[in-house]
Amino acid sequence: MTATAAPDPRSVQVDRRSIRTSTVAGSIGVLVHWFDWAVYAYMATTISAVFFPEADRTAGLLATFGVFAISFLVRPVGAVIFGRLGDRLGRTTTLTVVILSMALSTLVLGVLPGYATIGILAPILLIVTRVVQGLAAGGEFGSAAAFLGEFSPAKRRGFGCSWLEFGSLLGFLLASFCVLILETVFSSAQITGWAWRIPFLITVPLGLIGFYIRRRIEDTPEFRALQELETVSSSPVREVFRSNWREFLKTCGMEIFMNVTFYVVLVYLLTYQEVNLGFDAGRAALLSTLGSALALVVVPLAGAASDRVGRRPVLFTAAIALTVLSVPLFALMQVGTTWAALVSTMGLALILAIILGTHAVTVVELFPTRTRQTGLSIAYALTAALFAGTAPYLLTWLIDATGSTMMPGFFLAVVGVIGIVTVATIRESRGIDLMKDEDLGPARAGAADAPADAPSAVPGSEALPTPPPAAPLV
């Protein structure tokens, strides 16, 4: 019996309009997630007053941050659920479910009555909304990264995947801008009374727009090829840990490198500058905003650079810079002058931006298509929960235990070493074919070894030259 030919994803021509639509579809969910995440963090004091008893404000604030932490703890569960779903049913399926879950849970939070109205039910429902958000967040990165990587042209895949982190940074900036407007326009009583709901309600139409876009776009060429070949994994979680555990460990190293740097520079640094260096809140917030704005510009440039010179040179540059410059930059920050604070903050933001622009495409290219979304989702969620989410607490403890405000610099230098070691274990993958041997099945194994722009070795492809006589496949 002759084997049935299936389309080669390398021969599929994706028009520019589809590429632009897929870029928006992939990045808008990340923007919604980080906007919601940042608004919740920025307005923790107000949320504490609304949802917890006023008898003990400190206990209420701790409870608010505890609810915040819950969303991190459930992320690995969401990663398993949505990673498996994406590798079995398709990227667009999880993209739509994830963003709809985010939009609906944010809507509930935005209209949820406070403790004064419904009592203990208020914090309980708050926890439920954050659990749903955390589950959805666990599936967002893997879904979006796999989708953007598989939809982007091979020669511009780094640039295409970089828009994932562009969306996260834009979400941060929009959140800080929105909170700033609230504090400028409304009084404290109005914000606590009702205006705090505005940012969360703004997220809902963004999420629904993203849902509409994601529902209308077709799945990636690689996943459609798996369906045609009938090689979709029936158990992607088991397959990751049985067959792709090396790729999984490398991805964990890469995501520790990225996630910890991200949280220290964009989340912890603002508190560090206020508490440990004595910066006023406005100055620290301005520095954070400028750092995010610089990163927003650099991230796509870093992704494009990885398409020209390779993933490893760009990542090695960032890892070495983080290792060598973290301590000097934190020492410069402690000089106390405006220019010293600006240069040190911009330096850290620049290093972070290079990492953000390149990490996603690098880990996307590690996995076969069969298990790509599952592997990416679990590795990202685990490292975020275990290492990134705990970094601010660990740094606070280290500074208190040692009495040295230089600890964040030493901490990031260690993270830089982890980055160097991780990048050293990864082969250069610029321009490779995302379909690997295990994706193609036994009858077509070996076709994935060809360069992405080489003539296809897949039977039935128009790019295939006339082959020499060969025995028929049986």
Side-chain angles (χ1 to χ4, degrees), residues 213-232:
I213 294 172
R214 289 179 169 186
R215 282 282 294 172
R216 290 175 60 87
I217 198 166
E218 63 183 353
D219 223 314
T220 66
E222 278 76 10
F223 190 80
R224 281 180 281 143
L226 285 189
Q227 291 176 316
E228 291 287 339
L229 292 164
E230 298 182 350
T231 57
V232 174

Side-chain angles (χ1 to χ4, degrees), residues 40 125 139 168 192 194 202 205 271 286 300 381 395 418:
Y40 187 94
L125 292 176
S168 67
T192 304
W194 59 272
I202 287 174
T271 301
L286 177 60
L395 287 172
I418 293 174

Side-chain angles (χ1 to χ4, degrees), residues 42-102:
Y42 294 155
M43 304 194 71
T45 302
T46 301
I47 291 173
S48 169
V50 172
F51 287 98
F52 295 94
E54 296 184 5
D56 189 341
R57 294 300 300 275
T58 300
L61 188 57
L62 289 174
T64 302
F65 281 121
V67 175
F68 182 73
I70 287 174
S71 66
F72 277 96
L73 296 177
V74 300
R75 282 188 186 189
V77 179
V80 172
I81 294 172
F82 289 111
R84 184 174 182 273
L85 187 66
D87 281 328
R88 294 194 64 186
L89 301 181
R91 317 309 187 202
T92 55
T93 300
T94 51
L95 284 170
T96 52
V97 173
V98 162
I99 200 165
L100 185 61
S101 301
M102 287 182 179

Side-chain angles (χ1 to χ4, degrees), residues 6 19 39 41 72 93 101 111 140 161 289 291 300 340 350 355 368 400 456:
I19 293 173
V39 167
F72 277 96
T93 300
S101 301
V111 301
E140 177 62 36
C161 286
T289 301
L350 177 61
I355 301 170
D400 182 68
S456 173

